[in-house]
Amino acid sequence: MALREIIILPDKRLRLVSEPVKRIDAGVHKLVQDMFETMYAAPGIGLAGIQIGVAKRVVVMDLSKKEEDHKPLVFINPEITWTSDEKTTYEEGCLSIPEYYEEVERPERVKVKYLDLDGKAHEIEAKGLFATCIQHEVDHTNGVLFIDHISKLKRDRVTKKFIKAAKTAGNKTARTAKQVEA
Ligand code: GNR
Ligand code: NI
C-alpha cells in the first residue's frame, strides 16, 4: 500500500474525463488499496482515481463514522442510471478543494450501476449522504467538481483563491496555476 498525493485546484487534471476500466487486474487492485489508504489518511469519505492523478473510472468510499467498523466500498465504472425528482441539500467538501464547504442541491436518491473488484455487475439504490457522495464521485470521473453546482460568483471566488495560493506557494501546483493562466 502507498499513500498517494491528492491533487488540488487548480490542477487541470481534475477536469479530465476518466477512462473506463477494461480489465480488473492486479494494477487496479493496487490502485484501490492506495486510494483507500489515501482517503482514510486525509481523512475523507470518498475518493475518485483522478484525485490521485489516475484517470480511471474507479471510486472508493467509506461512510462509516467510527474507525472500528470501516465499511470500504469500491465502485468500478460507476454510472448513475436513475435519479429521483426529489432533491436534497448537503454541505459538501472535496479533498481536491481543501477547507472549502458549500451547500449543493442534488437528487435525493439515485440508482448506480457498477462493477465490484471481482468484475461482478451490481445495481443499487442510494439515498441521503450515500447518494450525495456517489454523485460527487461520479462527477469526478467526468471532470466535474462540486463547485460547478454552486453560483458562478462563489465558484470564481474559490477558484481565484486557489490559483493565488498556488502561485505564492511556488510549488508543483503553482506551475499548474500558471498553465491555467496561459
Ligand atoms: O470527504 C468528503 N466529504 C464529502 C462531504 C459531503 C459531500 C461529498 C463529500 S466527498 C469528500 C471526499 C472527496 O473529495 N471525494 O471526491
Ligand atoms: Ni471530491
Side-chain angles (χ1 to χ4, degrees):
M1 292 237 287
L3 192 62
R4 307 274 292 255
E5 189 187 331
I6 295 177
I7 64 174
I8 65 168
L9 212 65
D11 195 312
K12 284 172 117 183
R13 289 173 291 175
L14 291 168
R15 294 311 190 172
L16 291 173
V17 176
S18 293
E19 290 289 330
V21 171
K22 289 206 199 89
R23 264 194 63 221
I24 302 168
D25 55 16
V28 173
H29 282 254
K30 169 77 165 73
L31 171 65
V32 165
Q33 289 304 309
D34 288 356
M35 286 172 65
F36 274 120
E37 186 175 343
T38 306
M39 180 188 77
Y40 286 130
I45 59 172
L47 194 73
I50 196 57
Q51 293 184 274
I52 58 164
V54 179
K56 289 188 198 303
R57 305 181 82 83
V58 174
V59 164
V60 298
M61 199 183 295
D62 193 328
L63 302 169
S64 63
K65 298 217 176 65
K66 294 201 191 88
E67 217 167 297
E68 307 90 79
D69 46 40
H70 271 176
K71 286 186 192 69
L73 302 172
V74 180
F75 303 88
I76 296 173
N77 300 340
E79 277 176 60
I80 309 284
T81 56
W82 172 84
T83 58
S84 66
D85 292 335
E86 303 92 341
K87 313 281 186 202
T88 189
T89 303
Y90 266 98
E91 186 174 71
E92 296 195 20
C94 182
L95 295 172
S96 297
I97 313 173
E99 287 163 61
Y100 181 73
Y101 306 91
E102 195 52 70
E103 305 240 302
V104 177
E105 188 188 72
R106 299 183 187 265
E108 185 184 9
R109 288 176 297 138
V110 296
K111 281 186 182 163
V112 191
K113 208 175 91 178
Y114 65 96
L115 301 178
D116 65 21
L117 269 177
D118 298 319
K120 188 169 179 271
H122 299 264
E123 188 163 18
I124 54 153
E125 188 173 320
K127 60 178 181 182
L129 182 58
F130 184 19
T132 290
C133 194
I134 194 69
Q135 290 175 81
H136 176 119
E137 303 309 339
V138 170
D139 271 357
H140 274 303
T141 69
N142 292 322
V144 175
L145 299 170
F146 86 88
I147 54 170
D148 299 337
H149 298 290
I150 65 178
S151 76
K152 179 167 159 46
L153 183 74
K154 285 178 180 169
R155 180 168 60 252
D156 287 351
R157 201 188 288 153
V158 65
T159 303
K160 277 188 192 140
K161 201 185 102 177
F162 275 85
I163 290 172
K164 195 174 168 195
K167 274 190 219 162
T168 51
N171 57 17
K172 271 185 283 184
T173 323
R175 285 200 293 280
T176 312
K178 279 173 195 141
Q179 283 157 16
V180 168
E181 282 180 309

